[in-house]
Amino acid sequence: MTSPSGVTLQNTLADFFAGQPEVLEWGIVPLNRALPNADNLESWVGQGMHAGLRYMEENLDKRTVPRQLFPWACSAVLFSLRQSVPFGTPTGDFRVAAYALGEDYHRRARRILNEAHHSLSLSTGAAPLRFESFCDTWPVFERDLAAEAGLGWRGKNSCLIHRKHGSGFMLAGFFLDVDFEAYSTPQEDFCGGCTACLEACPTNAFVAPGRLDASKCLSYWTIEAKGDVPSDIAEKSGSWIFGCDVCQEVCPWNHKHIKKSTTSTPKNLPQTGLDWLTLLRKGGGFQSRFKDSPLTRAGRRSLLRNVLIALRNNPQTNIRELVETIGKEESNQSVESGSD
């Protein structure tokens, strides 16, 4: 039977999220069972489709059964955070995933999570409340929890898709030791017979609808992977240097969210190959310029590697000499990934 505090807190949450303009949707998931897509996650990892994402192998049981991570947790509250820059935003000579063009979403999410904790604590007064937030900070199957919370359906491109918001959002949430009276209802799948995302992928990374082979994904290679990029992947990466939005840009549910202008570009982003190379040279200021940006996740050296690949795919003869100079500099120095 639901305690009165659960009803009170649910009303508090509704009021709180109603006052958060960056939050698109929110919902609640009971944690008294394994997530329905848990078997798919386990088989995906078992088949090695997570490529070099070794952290996916760790605490797999906790990802599929959240109460193994926090036994006290009764519910999870999930919310979707508006992507601050729309798909299709011009980024100069090279392409960068839209989510990385604004402030790091982890920072934005943390502000909301801290405010949520404060608001709930005020609501409970002296009564104890256990609260643990997550936004890529714990082994949590966030996409599946969000699907169960009604924030969207699991699309064929492995992204969560919402009929109103498309897939241009990030996810965050928190665990509570509270049972709630009402729970969100998962959304119906509206992908239908559309396969636009599967067909548009430049590297054929989808082995089946909703099943991504990370070892073929440009987002994996341009953000997570270190070292050399396989030649067949590099040749198909075009001008992408951080992430890839192709499977989302072709999605019909995102068409109304695509930026229509072709001239306005993020002012903090280098625009030309020369600008990027200058910034990414040893001591060029990359880390300080992008300290609040997701771009630092790839690190300076990997991002420089990606730029050089993009230049090979789309040669710019006016900077050939600089490319050769930087290549010699990098080969003669041992520099930690991500350093200035």
Side-chain angles (χ1 to χ4, degrees), residues 1-327:
M1 184 174 181
T2 304
S3 66
S5 63
V7 176
T8 300
L9 287 179
Q10 191 163 326
N11 291 334
T12 299
L13 285 171
D15 291 340
F16 172 77
F17 284 119
Q20 295 293 324
E22 291 188 285
V23 172
L24 299 175
E25 303 288 336
W26 72 280
I28 301 170
V29 184
L31 299 178
N32 54 6
R33 57 185 173 82
L35 295 172
N37 214 32
D39 289 345
N40 285 337
L41 178 63
E42 291 172 346
S43 66
W44 183 74
V45 172
Q47 293 172 14
M49 291 191 181
H50 60 308
L53 302 175
R54 299 303 176 196
Y55 62 83
M56 292 300 301
E57 302 171 12
E58 302 169 359
N59 300 308
L60 187 58
D61 56 337
K62 296 180 176 63
R63 293 181 188 278
T64 55
V65 185
R67 292 192 74 172
Q68 292 195 32
L69 179 63
F70 296 111
W72 51 264
C74 298
S75 307
V77 177
L78 278 292
F79 63 88
S80 52
L81 182 65
R82 185 187 307 276
Q83 187 170 283
S84 58
V85 179
F87 294 122
T89 296
T91 54
D93 286 352
F94 306 128
R95 300 211 64 190
V96 175
Y99 87 88
L101 298 177
E103 182 187 12
D104 191 330
Y105 73 91
H106 299 90
R107 296 168 60 91
R108 297 167 59 211
R110 278 196 293 271
R111 288 195 290 268
I112 295 172
L113 290 165
N114 289 339
E115 290 176 20
H117 191 190
H118 179 68
S119 180
L120 289 169
S121 297
L122 289 177
S123 179
T124 58
L129 174 72
R130 300 194 75 169
F131 176 107
E132 187 64 55
S133 63
F134 54 84
C135 182
D136 296 334
T137 48
W138 291 102
V140 177
F141 197 3
E142 294 172 347
R143 187 199 62 185
D144 225 46
L145 279 171
E148 292 305 297
L151 274 59
W153 71 87
R154 305 170 185 88
K156 292 179 182 177
N157 61 1
S158 299
C159 296
L160 208 66
I161 306 173
H162 189 278
R163 292 185 72 184
K164 179 180 178 181
H165 312 299
S167 59
F169 54 82
M170 318 309 292
L171 301 171
F174 47 90
F175 296 115
L176 291 173
D177 62 342
V178 178
D179 285 313
F180 290 92
E181 183 175 57
Y183 298 108
S184 311
T185 302
Q187 288 193 7
E188 182 182 347
D189 185 332
F190 284 96
C191 282
C194 178
T195 57
C197 58
L198 309 183
E199 296 165 3
C201 178
T203 55
N204 297 313
F206 296 103
V207 298
R211 204 160 184 83
L212 175 74
D213 183 350
S215 70
K216 297 180 180 180
C217 179
L218 292 185
S219 287
Y220 167 73
W221 283 107
T222 57
I223 300 174
E224 304 291 343
K226 307 303 178 185
D228 295 334
V229 178
S231 58
D232 59 328
I233 299 293
E235 291 168 0
K236 296 174 181 176
S237 64
S239 58
W240 287 101
I241 63 169
F242 187 93
C244 176
D245 285 339
V246 170
C247 68
Q248 297 187 82
E249 289 179 346
V250 300
C251 176
W253 294 105
N254 280 327
H255 285 177
K256 64 182 177 181
H257 302 295
I258 300 290
K259 187 176 179 66
K260 301 300 188 292
S261 170
T262 59
T263 57
S264 177
T265 59
K267 58 184 179 181
N268 191 43
L269 200 70
Q271 297 301 299
T272 69
L274 177 60
D275 293 338
W276 274 105
L277 288 175
T278 301
L279 180 69
L280 291 170
R281 294 183 74 171
K282 173 65 175 174
F286 164 72
Q287 196 74 15
S288 57
R289 181 165 176 174
F290 289 108
K291 65 181 188 303
D292 297 331
S293 164
L295 289 170
T296 56
R297 181 171 179 83
R300 183 191 68 84
R301 297 199 79 186
S302 291
L303 200 53
L304 175 59
R305 173 203 63 190
N306 300 341
V307 166
L308 294 175
I309 289 173
L311 286 172
R312 285 197 292 271
N313 291 335
N314 301 280
Q316 297 180 14
T317 55
N318 62 317
I319 57 175
R320 183 177 298 164
E321 185 176 338
L322 179 58
V323 170
E324 294 176 358
T325 300
I326 291 176

